[in-house]
Amino acid sequence: MTPVWSGMRGIASVPTYVVMQPTTLCNLDCAYCYLPFRAADNRMPVEVARAVAASIEGWARDGRFSVVWHGGEPLAAGRDHLAALFEPFGPGVEHHVQTNATLIDDAWCDFFQTHDVRVSVSVDGPEPRNGDRVTRGGRPAYDRIVRGIEALRRHDIGFSALCVVGDPRPGTATELYDYFLGLGCDVLGINVEELEGVNTRTNRHTAADVTAFWAELVTAWRADPRIHLREVEWSLRYVAAVLDETADDLLPRQLDPIPTIAHDGSVVLLSPELAGFSDPRYGDFTSGNVLSTPLAEILAGAADTPWIGEFLRGVESCRAACPYFGFCGGAHAANRYFEQGRFDTTETDHCRNSKIRLLEGVLDHARDHEPSAVR
């Protein structure tokens, strides 16, 4: 019998973080990138940052609040402009940058230290696994990525890493984990490539291969757990909660709205990957613009956005039918849309690769190494 999960009902009125797009431009042209306007340098006006800062001031006073600068490539906005966008935010805000690292040099490292920026770098493992990460001229970007990471290490700046895996299969995970141990990152996130946005490559893989990939990754991590491994640690926490019969407590009571503020101030909720797209049925997916409506007011009316209502119905369908709902909280909005063309569907290939097979891989590892823990 599928448990009745009580969390993830409706959308929270206060987010835990916001995503900001300082520019649509990216200096790379990665084959799996979902962004539609990454060749154009549309920069966020400072007025947009001021409007967001005014809305989140109260939220930041109540506890740590994060602003995640995402692109495009955020550093392509330039240090002076990014500093001007940072300026309106108060001391309670923690700034994060997701970067391809190719522009990082000593001056950028000084910037990160001055503004206490948390840095996350996109790199897909050893050089041969970075074939999709190329410049706008089609040349490999790996050497430039490594130079940027070396600058971070030279300045003793801790960093996270985000790795996209296009072909998850046995033999890959150990190689990747060993690489990131040597790279020196503090946290590692693994994203199995997703079909979304302008990336239309299939993300359908053999179930046994994906499950074995995750099981192997758990084995590699447990042999030397110096890195915080995002997906695996969450999975183990969930498994422990299931054994303690407290799993329902892990799910947030409501969905985090994850407001993404595009360069022009328009706001897309729940899935940053929808920003910049439109559909005859749903329009441009936006719920408002911070230049005309305070962010708190936009969030308060989130459920009035037509596609969001459809998505929430899909979440309820997941809750009713899926035994993995307590682990993932319902399929992501963008994955539903880009894979299946609507928001009220349930299981997606992203679910299978990054939720179901992940959890099964963790459990397979446990059965092989600690059979008494899994009954």
Side-chain angles (χ1 to χ4, degrees):
M1 179 178 176
T2 302
V4 178
W5 302 101
S6 62
M8 308 297 269
R9 293 189 185 276
I11 300 174
S13 59
V14 177
T16 57
Y17 65 100
V18 298
V19 179
M20 303 279 283
Q21 185 183 51
T23 177
T24 56
L25 179 67
C26 187
N27 59 319
L28 297 188
D29 192 20
C30 300
Y32 52 65
C33 185
Y34 64 84
L35 293 165
F37 303 121
R38 61 185 187 270
D41 188 10
N42 299 309
R43 297 195 182 191
M44 176 179 284
V46 175
E47 291 74 19
V48 172
R50 290 196 189 108
V52 175
S55 290
I56 71 173
E57 183 179 3
W59 303 334
R61 282 198 302 266
D62 294 335
R64 190 184 75 173
F65 191 88
S66 296
V67 175
V68 180
W69 299 89
H70 207 292
E73 165 54 45
L75 306 194
R79 282 185 298 278
D80 290 345
H81 189 59
L82 203 55
L85 294 174
F86 279 20
E87 193 276 332
F89 294 93
V93 169
E94 184 175 274
H95 293 283
H96 298 248
V97 167
Q98 183 65 48
T99 175
N100 62 38
T102 60
L103 300 175
I104 297 177
D105 56 15
D106 292 337
W108 271 113
C109 288
D110 290 342
F111 179 95
F112 297 148
Q113 290 174 320
T114 297
H115 296 278
D116 196 21
V117 178
R118 273 63 170 175
V119 180
S120 179
V121 172
S122 299
V123 59
D124 297 339
E127 183 172 6
R129 296 197 178 278
N130 283 266
D132 286 329
R133 303 189 64 77
V134 297
T135 67
R136 296 224 146 265
R139 300 181 62 82
Y142 183 77
D143 288 347
R144 296 172 62 183
I145 295 170
V146 170
R147 281 198 297 271
I149 293 171
E150 288 172 347
L152 293 172
R153 296 173 64 172
R154 192 165 60 246
H155 286 263
D156 198 27
I157 296 174
F159 62 96
S160 303
L162 185 62
C163 171
V164 174
V165 179
D167 187 18
R169 62 178 57 243
T172 304
T174 301
E175 177 193 15
L176 287 175
Y177 189 73
D178 288 346
Y179 172 84
F180 285 103
L181 277 176
L183 194 68
C185 59
D186 302 319
V187 180
L188 174 61
I190 300 289
N191 285 356
V192 176
E193 183 179 340
E194 302 169 38
L195 187 161
E196 61 186 0
V198 298
N199 178 25
T200 58
R201 304 195 310 193
T202 183
N203 61 337
R204 186 160 294 180
H205 306 284
T206 302
D209 283 349
V210 182
T211 302
F213 167 84
W214 288 116
E216 180 186 315
L217 187 62
V218 180
T219 301
W221 174 74
R222 295 202 68 182
D224 190 353
R226 281 180 285 154
I227 297 175
H228 287 292
L229 193 50
R230 184 183 66 184
E231 288 77 16
V232 168
E233 291 186 36
W234 164 247
S235 303
L236 292 173
R237 184 182 172 199
Y238 174 76
V239 170
V242 169
L243 295 174
D244 291 341
E245 299 184 348
T246 59
D248 191 40
D249 297 336
L250 287 183
L251 281 178
R253 297 302 87 190
Q254 294 179 296
L255 290 155
D256 193 319
I258 316 176
T260 295
I261 292 80
H263 68 95
D264 60 356
S266 58
V267 179
V268 171
L269 303 178
L270 296 169
S271 283
E273 299 85 358
L274 292 171
F277 290 92
S278 61
D279 180 276
R281 288 184 61 210
Y282 309 108
D284 61 7
F285 302 109
T286 64
S287 295
N289 191 299
V290 295
L291 292 178
S292 57
T293 308
L295 183 57
E297 187 176 327
I298 293 172
L299 295 178
D304 296 332
T305 303
W307 74 263
I308 291 179
E310 183 176 294
F311 169 70
L312 292 175
R313 292 192 294 276
V315 171
E316 292 309 307
S317 295
C318 287
R319 185 195 310 278
C322 183
Y324 297 90
F325 183 84
F327 179 59
C328 79
H332 295 174
N335 297 113
R336 294 174 193 245
Y337 173 72
F338 287 116
E339 288 190 29
Q340 300 174 354
R342 53 187 305 116
F343 294 97
D344 55 1
T345 56
T346 53
E347 190 174 308
T348 64
D349 284 327
H350 173 69
C351 290
R352 300 180 188 103
N353 294 332
S354 299
K355 303 296 182 182
I356 297 172
R357 306 308 176 214
L358 164 61
L359 187 57
E360 291 178 347
V362 168
L363 293 174
D364 281 356
H365 168 88
R367 292 185 188 101
D368 291 342
H369 294 82
E370 301 175 49
S372 63
V374 182
R375 298 176 177 87

